[in-house]
């Protein structure tokens, strides 16, 4: 085990190398470039004996990785934002072919207007593509989940592609101490690759991506769904093994100081480190607050969500994304999870913040908790209170006439 | 590089009972190719007639991938890289057989990237000059004056307008990448077509063959007329047969002793019927003029770059 001072991008590249990826195809996009550059250096200097395909687009990046995985190789790609949007068509193709591809997504919002900065607007809308999705908090977690991703994706009862999402800049570009294990240790957790799924084999020729008519198509979809659901249990087994090998335990979600918490804030990604700090501050002042950090988002760990939130007096969901005309994407899933929970129904409020790289600072989080407290005291919420923008710039909203008539 | 019909294997590499249209030249072209490629082949085919033909209920006796519409070039790149990474690349013919929509239009970028990066594969475009699988819509390979369902003919519309009078010239686009081998081919000249396939698969790099593939439905032909029309395309120099090596050396493979007028090619096809009405007959001279210009250009290129006797 070596402790290195590296960025999240470099941590991902280290993990890809230790996973022994055989084919890498990627197209550069900020803030993902650091991952691809680090891997290109490893291949160019012989540290990593992989084929690197410098494709001409992200659509081709994922397509090339699909081809490589079909041909029986452990394959990797990484992207961000517009690049992931361009891959959109290939995502369900890859999961339908049941290929254990792993992709790192350095989260960045989507144009227009143009931004290179972080939120979860790129990967969350891809939640329905059949891919497994996790959202990490820091570089170490990015490293760990890349290894976990291959292990789970390649499991015979899963065989689905896996997306490891790390916040652009705040994780991808931030240098942190990261423990990098020796390859021998990694091999005991993630054995060298053997294609254990239908692939391009001359000895046993098969046809891939056949036409399915209405009498069969639903069962293909159902199979993808059932396999995806199995990931939750498998992940917990894999976390045990990971902990035995590396001494750290990962989890589908992190519940922090929720045991007696009246107000709980739920969210994902690097901003949850700030939430943890605010929880400590407010606790020090005697306020019963807690935090749930979602890591595994697809499949959605409904029972685990219910277990950690059922004692709360009010739930706030902090979304770094927006489903326009509906509200936060994570909120929809948390609210849905609690609707059929055995406990009593409690008010839930959706906070949207941190879009396009806007800093989510302690004041933002405090505001969320205060508003949650006022909602909790009344015991119910109005539809106007359900969705809130804690960091809204009222002067700008007024000056720009946000939501007003735009045309002539 | 000689090839004879007698040297082809009796064995069939695609199961019978396919759902192709009777007499379909694209099916014929794929079957002929399989006779040279054999069983040690991995084929990819982008969305179109042939993925329907081979993809329903699994026809091939070699591994086959129906790709998405535009990514045959990138999927085949990944397969090539993976086989190399696994040390299993030798002895496998990596082969794409895709229509003109998946090649000259939506798949052009991925194919351009794949050949530019130097992956080893043979790409055959079966060019039926339109989106025939979806019912005859125009593509970037539809010739001027052709009637399609998205370029209908009327008093004010001559069918496909084609402001520059020519369809995309894929052989020269591919050759311009500097790839080792790019050629055109015709089903009416099977030995020339098969020779080109054999030549292409011996090359360690990207190779491209553009196969004209008349569409019986889309072009308005009788079931028996596919090959005959392909022959007329060569005899009128509408679709010249030539090859380009290393992006530089151009050789014409078939020079008609007597160049037939394009009317002989146009008049047998339903899609050009309106060109023989008073309203649109002026289009024929423009068609002929562009065919003549293109043929003269090829002759000049051959004169300047060709190396006779390399076949």
């Amino acid at each position: 085990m070596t402790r290195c001072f590296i960025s999240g991008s470099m941590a991902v590249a280290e993990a890809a190398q230790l996973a022994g990826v055989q084919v890498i195809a990627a197209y550069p996009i900020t803030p993902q470039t650091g991952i691809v550059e680090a891997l290109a250096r490893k291949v160019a200097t012989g540290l990593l004996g992989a084929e690197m395909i410098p494709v001409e687009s992200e659509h081709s990046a994922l397509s090339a990785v699909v081809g490589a995985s079909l041909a029986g190789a452990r394959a990797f790609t990484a992207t961000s934002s517009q690049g992931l949007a361009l891959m959109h068509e290939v995502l369900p193709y890859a999961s339908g072919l049941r290929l254990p591809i792993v992709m790192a997504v350095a989260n960045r919002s989507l144009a227009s207007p143009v931004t290179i900065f972080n939120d979860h607007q790129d990967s969350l809308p891809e939640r329905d593509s059949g891919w497994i999705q996790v959202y990490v908090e820091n570089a170490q977690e990015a490293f760990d989940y890349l290894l976990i991703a291959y292990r789970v994706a390649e499991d015979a009862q899963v065989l689905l592609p896996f997306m490891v999402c790390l916040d652009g800049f705040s994780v991808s570009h931030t240098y942190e101490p990261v423990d990098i294990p020796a390859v021998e240790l990694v091999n005991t957790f993630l054995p060298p690759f053997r294609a254990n799924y239908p692939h391009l084999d001359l000895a046993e020729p098969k046809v891939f991506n056949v036409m399915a008519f209405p009498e069969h198509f639903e069962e293909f979809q159902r199979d993808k769904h059932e396999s995806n659901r199995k990931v939750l249990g498998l992940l917990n087994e894999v976390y045990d093994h990971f902990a035995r090998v590396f001494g750290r335990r990962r989890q589908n979600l992190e519940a922090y100081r929720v045991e007696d918490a009246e107000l709980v804030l739920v969210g994902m990604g690097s901003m949850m480190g700030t939430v943890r700090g605010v929880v400590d501050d407010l606790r020090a002042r005697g306020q019963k607050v807690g935090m749930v950090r979602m890591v595994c988002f697809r499949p959605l760990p409904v029972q685990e969500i219910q277990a950690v939130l059922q004692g709360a007096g009010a739930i706030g969901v902090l979304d770094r994304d927006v489903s326009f005309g509906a509200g936060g994407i994570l909120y929809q899933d948390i609210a849905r999870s609690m609707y059929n929970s055995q406990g009593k129904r409690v008010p839930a409020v959706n906070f949207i913040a941190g879009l396009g790289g806007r800093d989510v600072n302690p004041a933002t989080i405090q505001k969320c908790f205060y508003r949650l407290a006022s909602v909790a005291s009344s015991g119910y919420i109005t539809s106007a209170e359900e969705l809130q923008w804690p960091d809204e710039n009222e002067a700008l909203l007024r000056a720009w006439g946000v939501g007003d008539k735009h045309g002539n | 590089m000689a090839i004879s019909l007698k040297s082809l294997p009796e064995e069939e590499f695609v199961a019978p009972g396919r759902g192709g249209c009777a007499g379909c030249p694209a099916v014929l072209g794929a079957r002929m190719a399989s006779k040279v490629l054999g069983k040690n082949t991995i084929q990819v085919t982008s969305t179109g007639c042939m993925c329907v033909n081979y993809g329903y209920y699994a026809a091939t006796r070699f591994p086959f991938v129906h790709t998405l519409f535009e990514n045959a070039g990138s999927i085949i790149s990944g397969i090539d890289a993976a086989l190399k990474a696994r040390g299993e690349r030798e002895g496998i013919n990596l082969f794409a057989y895709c229509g003109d929509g998946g090649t000259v239009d939506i798949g052009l970028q991925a194919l351009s990237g794949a050949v530019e990066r130097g992956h080893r594969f043979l790409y055959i475009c079966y060019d039926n000059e339109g989106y025939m699988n979806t019912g005859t819509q125009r593509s970037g390979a539809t010739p001027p004056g052709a009637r399609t369902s998205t370029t209908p003919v009327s008093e004010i519309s001559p069918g496909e307008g084609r402001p520059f009078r020519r369809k995309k010239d894929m052989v020269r686009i591919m050759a311009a990448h500097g790839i080792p081998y790019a050629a055109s081919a015709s089903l009416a000249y099977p030995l020339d077509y098969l020779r080109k396939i054999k030549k292409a698969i011996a090359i360690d790099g990207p190779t491209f063959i553009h196969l004209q593939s008349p569409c019986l439905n889309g072009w308005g032909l009788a079931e028996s007329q596919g090959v005959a029309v392909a022959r007329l395309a060569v005899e009128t120099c509408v679709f010249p047969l030539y090859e380009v090596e290393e992006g530089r050396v151009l050789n014409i493979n078939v020079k008609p002793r007597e160049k037939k007028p394009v009317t002989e090619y146009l008049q047998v096809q339903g899609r050009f019927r309106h060109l023989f009405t008073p309203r649109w007959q002026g289009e024929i001279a423009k068609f002929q003029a562009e065919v003549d210009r293109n043929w003269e250009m090829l002759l000049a290129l051959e004169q300047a770059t060709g190396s006779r006797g390399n076949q």
Side-chain angles (χ1 to χ4, degrees):
Chain A
M1 194 83 75
T2 314
R3 178 157 289 196
C4 304
F5 188 63
I6 55 176
S7 69
S9 296
M10 291 157 77
V12 168
E14 290 298 323
Q17 178 188 349
L18 286 166
V21 297
Q22 294 163 297
V23 176
I24 302 157
Y27 186 79
I29 180 169
T30 302
Q32 152 267 30
T33 38
I35 299 170
V36 187
E37 288 170 341
L39 284 168
R41 279 194 299 275
K42 288 175 183 298
V43 172
T45 56
L47 276 173
L48 175 57
E51 292 284 327
M52 182 112 190
I53 315 177
V55 284
E56 81 298 331
S57 76
E58 288 91 352
H59 194 284
S60 282
L62 187 52
S63 300
V65 160
V66 163
S69 189
L70 271 175
R74 190 176 270 165
F76 176 76
T77 185
T79 192
S80 289
S81 184
Q82 312 296 135
L84 185 59
L86 188 56
M87 288 178 179
H88 175 77
E89 185 200 15
V90 195
L91 295 171
Y93 182 73
S95 62
L97 288 170
R98 308 305 294 262
L99 299 174
I101 293 163
V102 172
M103 167 159 62
V105 175
N107 284 117
R108 155 183 160 182
S109 201
L110 286 173
S112 173
V114 176
T115 174
I116 58 164
F117 298 108
N118 167 242
D119 61 33
H120 298 150
Q121 195 72 37
D122 51 357
S123 56
L124 278 178
E126 304 298 351
R127 68 193 182 277
D128 303 331
S129 61
W131 285 56
I132 303 159
Q133 275 194 351
V134 297
Y135 291 78
V136 304
E137 183 183 344
N138 53 41
Q140 184 71 63
E141 209 171 57
F143 177 92
D144 293 356
Y145 266 101
L146 211 84
L147 299 181
I148 290 167
Y150 278 111
R151 171 71 186 276
V152 170
E154 292 167 6
D155 191 287
Q157 57 178 328
V158 176
L159 290 173
L160 286 170
F162 201 124
M163 209 180 282
V164 178
C165 303
L166 56 149
D167 285 334
F169 296 107
S170 52
V171 177
S172 68
H173 285 55
T174 303
Y175 279 64
E176 298 179 79
V178 178
D179 286 331
I180 308 286
V183 66
E184 295 76 20
L185 205 57
V186 172
N187 286 343
T188 66
F189 174 72
L190 178 69
F193 189 61
R194 183 184 63 83
N196 61 337
Y197 52 89
H199 59 281
L200 297 167
D201 183 354
L202 291 176
E204 281 184 66
K206 293 183 179 63
V207 167
F208 293 86
N209 189 30
V210 292
M211 184 93 181
F213 287 96
E215 61 267 37
H216 299 130
F217 188 81
E218 184 174 316
E219 281 64 35
F220 280 98
Q221 300 293 79
R222 179 71 183 274
D223 189 56
K224 219 194 290 197
H225 174 71
E226 297 299 340
S227 299
N228 208 303
R229 297 298 303 165
K230 280 190 188 155
V231 169
L232 290 171
L234 179 67
L235 269 170
N236 281 317
E237 290 172 26
V238 170
Y239 295 145
D240 288 342
H241 187 203
F242 189 91
R244 284 199 300 279
V245 175
F246 301 110
R248 293 183 294 278
R249 198 174 191 289
R250 294 302 176 190
Q251 40 195 351
N252 289 336
L253 53 81
E254 175 197 353
Y256 185 69
R257 304 186 84 165
V258 295
E259 294 73 24
D260 61 340
E262 283 162 10
L263 312 175
V264 179
L265 198 54
V266 186
M268 303 197 292
S270 59
M271 66 181 174
M272 300 312 284
T274 310
V275 176
R276 201 183 289 110
V278 172
V279 165
D280 288 342
D281 288 348
L282 293 176
R283 281 274 179 182
R285 286 187 259 156
Q287 302 191 38
K288 290 185 173 174
V289 296
M291 170 198 98
V292 171
R293 179 172 67 93
M294 298 287 297
V295 181
C296 183
F297 181 67
R298 281 294 179 273
L300 187 70
V302 175
Q303 287 170 345
E304 291 177 68
I305 292 168
Q306 291 172 346
V308 297
L309 289 179
Q310 65 181 2
I315 299 162
V317 180
L318 182 54
D319 265 287
R320 206 162 193 171
D321 62 87
V322 51
S323 173
F324 302 100
I329 293 171
L330 178 61
Y331 175 77
Q332 296 168 29
D333 274 356
I334 299 297
R336 164 256 148 136
S337 299
M338 299 312 291
Y339 188 85
N340 286 327
S341 174
Q342 295 305 309
K344 74 174 167 63
R345 186 86 50 78
V346 297
V349 181
N350 188 191
F351 300 104
I352 292 181
L355 302 189
R358 186 169 292 187
D359 202 15
V360 180
N361 54 38
T364 314
I365 311 296
Q366 282 162 7
K367 212 181 289 181
C368 292
F369 276 120
Y370 293 147
R371 292 190 184 181
L372 204 50
S374 73
V375 162
S377 66
S378 68
Y380 68 94
I381 57 165
T382 64
S383 57
E385 289 170 326
E386 188 188 10
L387 174 57
Q388 306 201 19
W389 307 73
D391 269 348
E392 65 190 0
N393 182 336
E394 282 172 35
L396 202 53
L397 290 174
R398 253 196 320 278
W400 283 5
V402 169
D404 291 350
K405 185 179 170 189
H406 287 292
N408 293 317
Chain B
M1 207 53 76
I3 198 160
S4 70
L5 292 179
K6 278 196 282 187
S7 71
L8 299 177
E10 291 283 329
E11 188 179 359
E12 295 291 343
F13 303 103
V14 178
R18 299 292 91 217
C21 303
C24 172
V27 175
L28 199 59
R31 178 170 170 233
M32 286 163 72
S34 75
K35 294 280 184 173
V36 181
L37 295 160
K39 245 188 215 167
N40 286 342
T41 294
I42 295 173
Q43 180 176 335
V44 309
T45 289
S46 56
T47 302
C49 296
M50 283 309 296
C51 77
V52 176
N53 196 270
Y54 278 12
Y56 282 19
Y57 307 115
T60 59
R61 290 173 176 153
F62 44 82
F64 175 89
V65 185
H66 166 200
T67 70
L68 296 167
F69 211 161
E70 69 283 59
N71 67 358
S74 38
I75 287 205
I76 214 164
S77 300
I79 297 171
D80 176 59
L83 294 175
K84 280 176 181 153
R86 297 180 53 168
E88 295 172 2
R89 184 65 188 87
E90 283 312 304
I92 297 176
N93 292 318
L94 199 46
F95 168 54
Y97 192 76
C98 307
D100 52 296
T103 304
V104 316
D105 284 346
I106 198 168
L108 181 58
Q109 175 185 317
L111 174 58
S112 172
V115 302
E116 165 267 318
R117 293 188 298 268
H119 293 285
R120 179 174 188 171
F121 63 96
L122 165 63
Y123 191 107
I124 296 180
C125 170
Y126 64 95
D127 180 5
N128 51 29
E129 305 193 326
Y131 292 91
M132 299 318 190
N133 190 43
T134 42
T136 322
Q137 294 83 30
R138 65 86 74 184
S139 78
T142 302
R147 174 204 299 268
T148 74
S149 64
T150 51
T151 54
V153 174
S154 74
E155 269 303 298
I156 56 168
S157 164
E160 170 55 47
R162 265 288 152 242
F164 310 124
R165 308 306 306 167
R166 53 160 59 188
K167 50 187 265 179
K168 283 194 203 177
D169 186 340
M170 267 311 285
V171 176
R172 291 205 301 134
I173 289 171
M174 285 292 103
H177 288 75
I179 63 173
Y181 188 67
S184 56
S186 169
L187 291 163
Y189 296 81
L191 291 181
D192 179 70
Y193 173 45
L194 296 170
R195 174 187 66 79
K196 285 168 173 168
I197 294 171
K198 196 171 173 188
K199 184 170 177 172
I201 59 177
I203 295 169
D204 184 7
T207 53
F208 178 83
I209 295 174
H210 199 83
L211 176 71
Q212 196 202 32
S213 178
C215 174
L216 307 174
N217 277 325
W219 294 18
L221 306 175
E223 285 171 5
S224 60
Q225 291 305 297
V227 175
V229 168
R231 182 178 305 281
L232 278 171
V234 176
E235 290 173 344
T236 54
C237 297
V238 168
F239 191 83
L241 298 184
Y242 65 102
E243 55 195 345
V244 187
E245 288 169 72
E246 311 295 343
R248 285 186 299 273
V249 181
L250 185 147
N251 283 301
I252 299 172
N253 306 116
V254 175
K255 285 181 187 160
R257 198 168 301 147
E258 206 176 322
K259 191 165 137 222
K260 292 182 174 171
V262 296
T263 48
E264 292 197 24
Y265 174 68
L266 301 175
Q267 70 192 4
V268 295
Q269 302 181 46
R271 61 177 175 160
F272 294 119
R273 190 166 298 137
H274 58 289
L275 300 186
F276 296 88
T277 64
R279 175 68 186 90
W280 296 115
Q281 63 189 3
E283 298 295 308
I284 293 177
K286 295 185 208 165
F287 197 108
Q288 182 71 61
E290 176 54 29
V291 166
D292 292 344
R293 273 197 296 270
N294 187 54
W295 180 243
E296 293 301 322
M297 181 197 67
L298 286 175
L299 288 172
L301 284 171
E302 183 188 50
Q303 184 72 28
T305 71
S307 59
R308 297 312 308 168
N310 69 340
Q311 296 172 21

